[in-house]
Structure formats: C-alpha cells, structure tokens
C-alpha cells in the first residue's frame, strides 16, 4: 500500500523532538497562553516575514477573526462584498458569510487551478472591500495584477494560506506576508501540521493583531474585561510546542515534497491525464499534487485496486453545496470541471521516490 498520506510516518520524521516538546509542556503545568505560544508566534512571524502572529484554534477561525476584526474596526460592515475564488475549500467562504459579508465568486484558470485575475476587476463594485486569495494546493495565487487592483480600488488583500506554508514569490517573499492579513491552518495534514487543530493570523497591522487576539479570547485583552463579544479560539501550549519543533524542518520537508513533485512532473506521460502548469522554483510547496482526468473516478478506482491511495479536492464546489442553496443554480463551468476531474496523488515529506515511481508507472499504464 502507498497511502495518500500517513500522518504517523510524517510525525515520526521528527518524533523524538516532538515527544520531548510534549513532555516539556505536560510537566510545566501551564497549558494555555504561555511560553510555548509566545515562542511559536515569534518564530512563525519571523519565518513568514510579518511583525505579528496570533495563534488561534484553527484555520477557519483565523479567517473568521480577520473579517470580524475589520468589522469591529469599521473597515467593513455586514453586506460588504469580498471577492474570492469559486473553487476553494469551503472554509474560505464560510469565514466570509459567518461575518455577514457577501462572497463574490470568481472562476479559476484551468491551467493553474487558481483564481483568474483577469476576471476580478469586472466583479468590483462600490460594496467591494477585499480580495481574498487562496494559495490552493500549495501554489502561489498572488499576482501583480491582484496587488494593483487592491491599490487602485483601496481594497484589503487577505490571504488564505492554509495550504502553502513556506511558499515564495519570485522576489523571495513568503505567502502569508503578501497582503494585509493572512489566515493559516495547522491541521495535521498540512505542510506545517499540529497534532490536532490549530491556526494563526499573520499581519503587519498592530491594531488588527490586537483586536484579533482579544476576539479569540472571549473578546478580552484584560482579564474579566470584555471589549468585544468574542469566542474562545486559542492555540493550546502542546500544539504550539509541536509546531515550533516542526517549523525548524519546514523548508527541508517542503524541499522533499518538491523532489516528489518534480519526479511526477517529469515522468507522468498519459494522454488521459493533465498536469497543471509548473511554476518557478519556490512558488509551489505542493501541499497536494493535483492532476485532472476526464475519467477521474475510473482512474481512482484503478489506483485503489493497485494499493495507491488518492483523494479528491474537492468533489462538490461551494456553490453547489446544500448550505449555500441560493447559489445552486449558478453555472461556474471551470470550477465544476475541476470538481469532476481533479485527483490528488500521494504527497508528503515521508514519501519515497521509490513509492513515487510506483505511482507514476501505474498512471502511465492506465488505459480505458
């Protein structure tokens, strides 16, 4: 068996240090809002290249708090519009609607699977207050055109960096530092993953960071004094300690992902299978390795029968979900094509080139 992802094997890569970090926390007797959070937040902000990092409970909350903080600060108000890719994971959309804001869906490019920046300007109205880009699959979604549009129309640029820890622009900036604020997920399967849920916001805006920290702590910055109607959304000390260990190895782990990805790119050769366009070195950290196949379900069954695990990211796009019934009649053809054809191949820092060769050989032998 070649699993799609073995979290046990990924954790084992740095197992001794992780166990020591957990032991240190359990023996400290301090389990929330302590030294481990302070250390990780400082180190992660330095890594990303921002002035501030605020840990929180998960990646969805990180995005929710960004929009909520902008509302509390008077930058946005319910009913305002946020431009967002149509083919993202639903958490990006949920964070917008959770705050009474209106998502404006923009189709992706089929050759990149990222938001088509040529379609954005036509969607901007007087109610538009932000563009939310998603570095989907670990691939850089930021473009100079998007940045220029934010400046032209005075829009906030928000990043969903849940899948792209360590991804770089051509000029060496990291995703998570490119806009006004960024939400990060540390779900166990991510490039930087905890041993449970975890998330963070990075920003250079001190007022925004302080507001988010209060919102995620019941709305309080001083004990028993509540400025906002907040929630409990804190990163616990064990997760912070584990993340601080894994952060030291993130670039190394991403480098291994790129080796696996390069092998896939150079050796997959089957006319039934389409690969997204490649990017400059650094601009993709390959959280996932997506391929497109018009016979996706047949291919997935074939791989499964030969012991290779795969996943679909994502089989039902947000606008076709029951929770957004008001959008169900929308026809977003590129998004729907990706949903019907995308298949994610095994990818992790614990995967070997020998396993990648098995996957490639099976893909190249696939026929109807």
């Amino acid at each position: 068996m070649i699993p799609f992802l073995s979290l046990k094997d990924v954790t084992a890569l740095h197992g001794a240090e992780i166990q020591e970090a957990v032991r240190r926390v359990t023996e400290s007797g301090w389990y929330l809002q302590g030294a481990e959070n302070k250390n990780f937040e400082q180190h992660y902000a330095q890594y990303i290249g921002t002035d501030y990092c605020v840990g929180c409970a998960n990646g969805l909350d990180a995005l929710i708090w960004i929009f909520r903080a902008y509302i509390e600060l008077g930058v946005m108000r319910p009913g305002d519009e946020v431009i967002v890719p149509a083919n993202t994971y639903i958490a990006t959309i949920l964070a917008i609607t959770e705050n009474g804001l209106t998502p404006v869906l923009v189709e992706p490019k089929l050759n990149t699977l990222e938001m088509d920046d040529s379609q954005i300007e036509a969607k901007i109205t007087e109610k538009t207050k932000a563009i939310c880009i998603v570095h989907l699959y670990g691939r850089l979604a930021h473009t100079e055109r998007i940045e220029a549009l934010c400046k032209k129309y005075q829009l906030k640029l928000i990043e969903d960096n849940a899948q792209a820890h360590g991804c770089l622009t051509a000029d060496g900036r990291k995703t998570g530092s490119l806009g006004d604020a960024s939400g990060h997920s540390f779900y166990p399967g991510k490039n930087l993953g905890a041993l449970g849920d975890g998330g963070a916001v990075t920003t250079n805006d001190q007022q925004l960071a302080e507001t988010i920290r209060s919102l995620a702590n019941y709305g309080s910055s001083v004990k028993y004094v509540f400025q906002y109607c907040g929630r409990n959304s804190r990163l616990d000390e064990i997760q912070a300690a584990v993340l601080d260990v894994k952060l030291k190895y993130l670039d190394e782990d991403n480098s291994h992902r790129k080796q696996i990805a390069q092998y896939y790119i150079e050796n997959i050769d089957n006319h039934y299978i389409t690969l997204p366009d490649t990017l400059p070195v650094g601009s993709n950290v390959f959280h996932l390795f997506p391929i497109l196949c018009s016979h996706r379900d047949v291919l997935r069954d074939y791989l499964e029968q030969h012991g290779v695990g795969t996943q679909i990211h994502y089989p039902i796009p947000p606008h076709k979900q029951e929770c957004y019934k008001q959008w169900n009649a929308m026809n977003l053809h590129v998004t729907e094509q990706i949903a019907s054809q995308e298949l994610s191949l095994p990818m992790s820092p614990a995967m070997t080139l020998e396993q990648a060769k098995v996957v490639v050989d099976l893909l190249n032998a696939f026929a109807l």
Side-chain angles (χ1 to χ4, degrees):
M1 281 292 297
I2 299 176
F4 172 71
L5 173 65
S6 170
L7 291 176
K8 182 178 179 180
D9 291 343
V10 171
T11 302
L13 292 174
H14 316 298
E17 287 184 70
I18 289 171
Q19 290 176 15
E20 171 57 26
V22 172
R23 184 199 63 77
R24 183 176 69 244
V25 175
T26 57
E27 292 183 359
S28 75
W30 195 290
Y31 306 130
L32 284 168
Q33 296 182 299
E36 302 293 347
N37 260 266
K38 183 178 180 180
N39 287 338
F40 173 68
E41 289 180 348
Q42 179 182 350
H43 294 158
Y44 194 60
Q46 290 173 346
Y47 177 83
I48 294 296
T50 57
D51 293 335
Y52 306 100
C53 170
V54 182
C56 61
N58 54 67
L60 172 57
D61 277 6
L63 291 171
I64 287 173
W65 299 134
I66 291 171
F67 291 113
R68 171 71 183 281
Y70 278 131
I71 290 172
E72 294 290 352
L73 294 171
V75 176
M76 300 178 191
R77 61 183 181 183
D80 285 341
E81 296 173 351
V82 178
I83 290 172
V84 65
N87 67 315
T88 184
Y89 181 58
I90 201 167
T92 320
I93 312 290
L94 289 171
I96 298 169
T97 58
E98 172 81 6
N99 283 288
L101 301 167
T102 302
V104 177
L105 307 181
V106 175
E107 286 264 61
K109 293 181 179 179
L110 191 59
N111 64 323
T112 67
L113 311 182
E114 304 293 344
M115 185 161 58
D116 185 349
D117 62 4
S118 70
Q119 296 187 32
I120 293 175
E121 190 163 18
K123 303 277 190 177
I124 295 173
T125 72
E126 61 181 15
K127 289 187 174 183
T128 307
K129 292 297 185 288
I131 298 175
C132 182
I133 58 175
V134 182
H135 305 294
L136 198 64
Y137 305 124
R139 180 188 181 113
L140 179 69
H142 175 273
T143 67
E144 291 182 1
R145 176 182 281 178
I146 292 174
E147 195 165 306
L149 287 172
C150 288
K151 291 177 181 177
K152 179 179 179 179
Y153 293 98
Q154 297 183 310
L155 306 177
K156 295 296 183 183
L157 177 57
I158 296 166
E159 299 174 77
D160 181 339
N161 198 47
Q163 299 187 5
H165 316 99
C167 185
L168 296 170
T169 63
D171 60 2
R173 293 179 294 162
K174 285 194 174 74
T175 55
S177 70
L178 308 179
D180 296 282
S182 175
H184 306 253
S185 168
F186 304 126
Y187 182 79
K190 299 297 170 65
N191 291 42
L192 180 61
L195 297 185
D197 278 320
V201 174
T202 54
T203 182
N204 289 320
D205 185 332
Q206 181 179 1
Q207 188 178 26
L208 185 74
E210 290 174 351
T211 304
I212 289 170
R213 191 176 296 282
S214 293
L215 286 167
N217 186 41
Y218 298 95
S220 171
S221 57
V222 177
K223 193 168 186 178
Y224 302 135
V225 178
F226 303 94
Q227 184 177 0
Y228 309 107
C229 294
R231 286 214 320 254
N232 178 7
S233 176
R234 300 175 301 206
L235 183 66
D236 73 63
E237 289 284 278
I238 286 179
Q239 303 307 338
V242 169
L243 289 167
D244 207 40
V245 169
K246 296 180 76 173
L247 179 60
K248 296 184 297 183
Y249 301 100
L250 178 56
D251 288 342
E252 177 184 326
D253 289 347
N254 283 344
S255 179
H256 185 81
R257 288 176 180 270
K258 292 172 188 177
Q259 291 179 28
I260 300 295
Q262 193 63 37
Y263 186 85
Y264 281 154
I265 291 166
E266 291 177 354
N267 293 283
I268 294 174
D269 184 14
N270 188 316
H271 70 276
Y272 290 113
I273 296 169
T274 301
L275 303 183
D277 290 349
T278 56
L279 283 172
V281 174
S283 295
N284 195 332
V285 291
F286 296 99
H287 169 59
L288 300 170
F289 192 94
I291 62 174
L292 298 178
C293 179
S294 57
H295 304 281
R296 189 264 312 280
D297 294 339
V298 178
L299 175 60
R300 188 182 191 196
D301 289 345
Y302 161 81
L303 290 172
E304 187 71 31
Q305 290 166 10
H306 287 83
V308 173
T310 59
Q311 291 288 335
I312 298 170
H313 298 94
Y314 300 95
I316 305 173
H319 72 285
K320 295 297 184 182
Q321 296 285 354
E322 185 177 357
C323 63
Y324 291 122
K325 293 177 183 176
Q326 67 273 27
W327 296 340
N328 286 176
M330 292 177 66
N331 293 312
L332 298 171
H333 299 294
V334 179
T335 296
E336 290 162 27
Q337 181 178 345
I338 293 170
S340 68
Q341 295 185 0
E342 193 277 341
L343 188 67
S344 296
L345 302 181
M347 171 61 69
S348 88
M351 187 178 182
T352 66
L353 283 172
E354 290 75 17
Q355 289 175 317
K357 184 178 187 304
V358 172
V359 176
V360 167
D361 288 346
L362 286 168
L363 288 172
N364 291 345
F366 174 71
L368 296 175

